[in-house]
Amino acid sequence: MTNSIYIDKIQGEENLSTNLTQTFHISTYGCQMNEEDSEKISGMLKRIGYSNTEIKEDADIIIFNTCCVRENAENKVFGNLGQLKKLKEERPNLIIAICGCMMQQKGMADKVLKTFPFVDIIFGTHNSYKFPEYLDRVQKDGVQVKEIVNKEDGIVEGLPIDRKSDVKAFVTIMYGCNNFCTYCVVPYVRGRERSRKPEDIVKEVEELISQGYKEITVLGQNVNSYGKDLNDGMSFAKLLRTLNEVKGLERIRFMSSHPKDLTDDVILAIKECDKVCEQVHLPVQSGSSAILKSMNRHYTREQYIELAKKIKAEIPEVSITTDIIVGFPGETDEDFEYTLELVKEVEYDSAFTFIYSRRNHTPADRMENQIPEEIKHERFNRLVKTLNEIVERKNKAYENKTVEVFVEGTSKNQESRLTGRTRNGRLVNFEGSKDSIGKLINVNITKAGSFSLTGEECK
């Protein structure tokens, strides 16, 4: 499937010629998949003549690309929408659109329209490629558009993408999830697993290389399941080996991996492919086998620990990162202690930590023994303290060492400094020439902290 025919059509429409000086602003919530969705929406808008503005209040189109994994993200969206009411009254021609995972939830679109009737366009995750069509209908006919497709369609190829970076890029290799973890809404809002054809992925990567990109991160809710629906023998390990042969590509990263599906051939591909970075994001979620079973994760504490040991044995320089949820329904003090013990045993290089957030229409929301908020926060603080101590100690081992860094750009906090990452994903800030952006260079590490390394470019 492709939407390029429609984009090309409306690009030539006379009534859109006035859009050449108009602007849009996209606020993105959630994961890397949402970020790439926003890059595609931005690419479509730029194709038909709009330009991006970082100042939301100045934009002619304001778009919220939403996440529904945690309640906090939803609350932020509602708060930001509420703030736009006065702006819409002052500027009736302002177009406000809301899309993404949050809109895909049952009844959410109607709730948004009832609470915020000034919203012009609402669409979901399965039909974002049709945004130019919805925009055209609003502008031509003055109608309000709400279109949520509840069943995933085929994969749409050929959409323009407005990449945030000039040197590294996300490349989605599959969509959806089949795992149905009891706390998670992703299978309901992103649909079942659908893999892109390997030739389409390779074509996209080759086009990125021709544009000067050097590093890609392949994305999927569970990349280890890639290819299972293609019925042609393709697997994630084979895809990694295929991408490793693409000329001009320097580094390959991937996320996320489900522990139950990370097989020996994937571990060997990471070990043997020189472009695949020694970094594995391996979400554990809990260190208690009882809680893992309640989460429907399909592995035990012991199986996870053995997998982490195997990865480290095969790939000595590997960094293992993770996701952990604190306060899942029924989590006892003993369950939480199991999590702390696992964290100490695996010794993660970094972790995304979350306080369990109830999500409508998930099995966990209906479970008894919901954990009081004060207990969740106390456990969360203990977990973060333990993780930070481990990460800082592991980072300290890099002081006075020379590491290879892919230079991504200037530091967000200090534009006179450069920033990049080691092969195993550690963030490095250092003094250097902007001519190094997009290159692999050696950096001597002079100082280590909990979240980054500081160094000097080797002369």
Side-chain angles (χ1 to χ4, degrees):
M1 293 178 60
T2 178
N3 195 42
S4 60
I5 295 175
Y6 184 80
I7 294 173
D8 292 339
K9 175 182 178 294
I10 62 175
Q11 189 177 19
E13 293 280 352
E14 290 184 5
N15 70 301
L16 289 181
S17 62
T18 56
N19 290 343
L20 293 176
T21 58
Q22 290 192 313
T23 59
F24 67 92
H25 176 90
I26 304 177
S27 295
T28 307
Y29 304 82
C31 67
Q32 290 89 346
M33 300 286 284
N34 283 34
E35 289 180 30
E36 200 207 32
D37 288 345
S38 289
E39 289 180 343
K40 290 176 180 176
I41 293 171
S42 179
M44 288 187 286
L45 285 170
K46 287 189 173 182
R47 173 78 70 87
I48 60 177
Y50 286 84
S51 61
N52 181 60
T53 177
E54 295 300 318
I55 304 174
K56 180 169 59 179
E57 290 74 17
D58 291 347
D60 299 292
I61 305 173
I62 297 175
I63 304 159
F64 293 105
N65 186 4
T66 63
C67 172
C68 60
V69 172
R70 276 166 288 280
E71 185 178 17
N72 186 47
E74 288 189 6
N75 291 338
K76 284 183 179 179
V77 172
F78 287 137
N80 285 320
L81 275 175
Q83 293 174 12
L84 293 181
K85 181 179 180 181
K86 184 177 180 181
L87 188 63
K88 180 74 170 179
E89 290 173 350
E90 295 172 352
R91 296 169 49 202
N93 291 330
L94 168 67
I95 294 176
I96 299 173
I98 181 167
C99 62
C101 296
M102 183 176 161
M103 294 303 97
Q104 203 68 42
Q105 295 180 98
K106 184 178 180 180
M108 182 59 73
D110 291 333
K111 178 181 178 180
V112 168
L113 287 179
K114 183 177 180 180
T115 310
F116 309 101
F118 51 84
V119 171
D120 299 284
I121 305 172
I122 293 181
F123 56 101
T125 59
H126 303 316
N127 55 321
S128 59
Y129 67 94
K130 297 180 72 174
F131 179 64
E133 175 189 338
Y134 304 146
L135 179 61
D136 196 32
R137 285 165 56 187
V138 171
Q139 290 176 324
K140 279 184 176 179
D141 305 327
V143 297
Q144 190 177 57
V145 176
K146 183 196 78 170
E147 190 162 312
I148 308 296
V149 178
N150 291 321
K151 189 178 187 304
E152 62 271 15
D153 209 335
I155 293 174
V156 179
E157 298 286 354
L159 293 178
I161 304 180
D162 178 28
R163 310 277 183 179
K164 285 187 177 181
S165 168
D166 294 326
V167 297
K168 64 173 186 173
F170 294 130
V171 176
T172 298
I173 63 171
M174 61 185 300
Y175 298 88
C177 182
N178 290 352
N179 288 305
F180 291 92
C181 300
T182 57
Y183 53 81
C184 186
V185 298
V186 168
Y188 306 99
V189 298
R190 287 280 180 181
R192 304 303 294 270
E193 291 174 354
R194 291 102 64 209
S195 301
R196 293 178 67 193
K197 295 179 180 178
E199 56 266 32
D200 290 330
I201 297 169
V202 171
K203 179 182 178 182
E204 181 177 349
V205 172
E206 289 176 339
E207 289 176 351
L208 287 168
I209 300 305
S210 71
Q211 296 165 19
Y213 289 85
K214 299 294 184 183
E215 176 180 304
I216 63 165
T217 299
V218 297
L219 297 178
Q221 301 296 338
N222 177 17
V223 291
N224 296 323
S225 291
Y226 173 79
K228 290 181 178 180
D229 58 318
L230 295 177
N231 300 315
D232 61 358
M234 178 54 68
S235 67
F236 182 53
K238 290 179 180 178
L239 179 67
L240 287 178
R241 293 185 184 277
T242 300
L243 294 176
N244 196 65
E245 299 301 317
V246 176
K247 293 181 180 179
L249 184 60
E250 298 282 359
R251 286 184 176 181
I252 302 167
R253 301 187 188 276
F254 62 89
M255 66 185 315
S256 286
S257 290
H258 196 298
K260 75 178 179 65
D261 295 317
L262 200 156
T263 53
D264 290 349
D265 59 346
V266 173
I267 297 173
L268 287 177
I270 300 168
K271 177 182 179 180
E272 296 171 357
C273 294
D274 61 309
K275 296 175 183 178
V276 179
C277 293
E278 298 83 0
Q279 180 182 10
V280 179
H281 187 67
L282 197 64
V284 65
Q285 306 301 4
S286 173
S288 163
S289 292
I291 295 299
L292 290 171
K293 184 177 181 180
S294 184
M295 288 178 168
N296 196 38
R297 293 290 289 175
H298 296 288
Y299 56 85
T300 65
R301 162 196 180 83
E302 292 75 21
Q303 289 170 330
Y304 183 95
I305 291 172
E306 284 305 309
L307 178 59
K309 287 180 178 178
K310 182 187 293 186
I311 294 170
K312 289 186 176 184
E314 291 288 347
I315 314 166
E317 295 301 315
V318 74
S319 68
I320 298 180
T321 60
T322 198
D323 297 342
I324 301 175
I325 296 173
V326 173
F328 187 80
E331 182 186 73
T332 64
D333 289 339
E334 183 180 24
D335 291 323
F336 178 68
E337 290 298 330
Y338 280 139
T339 298
L340 287 182
E341 290 172 10
L342 183 142
V343 165
K344 293 173 184 177
E345 184 165 356
V346 176
E347 293 194 316
Y348 292 108
D349 294 86
S350 69
F352 296 102
T353 52
F354 307 99
I355 293 174
Y356 169 73
S357 176
R358 299 178 72 164
R359 302 283 74 204
N360 289 335
H361 312 299
T362 61
D365 184 48
R366 300 187 294 272
M367 289 180 181
E368 298 179 357
N369 300 321
Q370 298 286 332
I371 307 301
E373 291 299 318
E374 61 271 17
I375 294 178
K376 290 182 187 178
H377 284 83
E378 188 273 334
R379 290 175 182 170
F380 180 82
N381 292 337
R382 287 173 60 197
L383 174 64
V384 170
K385 182 176 183 295
T386 299
L387 281 164
N388 286 347
E389 290 171 352
I390 293 170
V391 173
E392 185 168 1
R393 172 172 53 78
K394 296 191 76 172
N395 283 350
K396 285 287 184 183
Y398 283 81
E399 288 185 345
N400 301 316
K401 286 187 177 181
T402 298
V403 295
E404 181 190 75
V405 173
F406 178 70
V407 186
E408 300 175 0
T410 56
S411 173
K412 291 181 180 180
N413 299 324
Q414 193 174 347
E415 287 204 3
S416 62
R417 306 180 79 194
L418 299 179
T419 186
R421 291 189 183 272
T422 64
R423 282 184 62 91
N424 61 12
R426 283 177 166 80
L427 182 66
V428 181
N429 297 305
F430 61 97
E431 303 290 338
S433 168
K434 290 186 178 181
D435 293 337
S436 297
I437 295 175
K439 298 178 181 178
L440 294 170
I441 66 169
N442 290 324
V443 175
N444 182 52
I445 304 303
T446 58
K447 184 180 179 182
S450 296
F451 305 105
S452 64
L453 306 175
T454 302
E456 297 174 348
E457 183 175 354
C458 297
K459 303 299 183 183

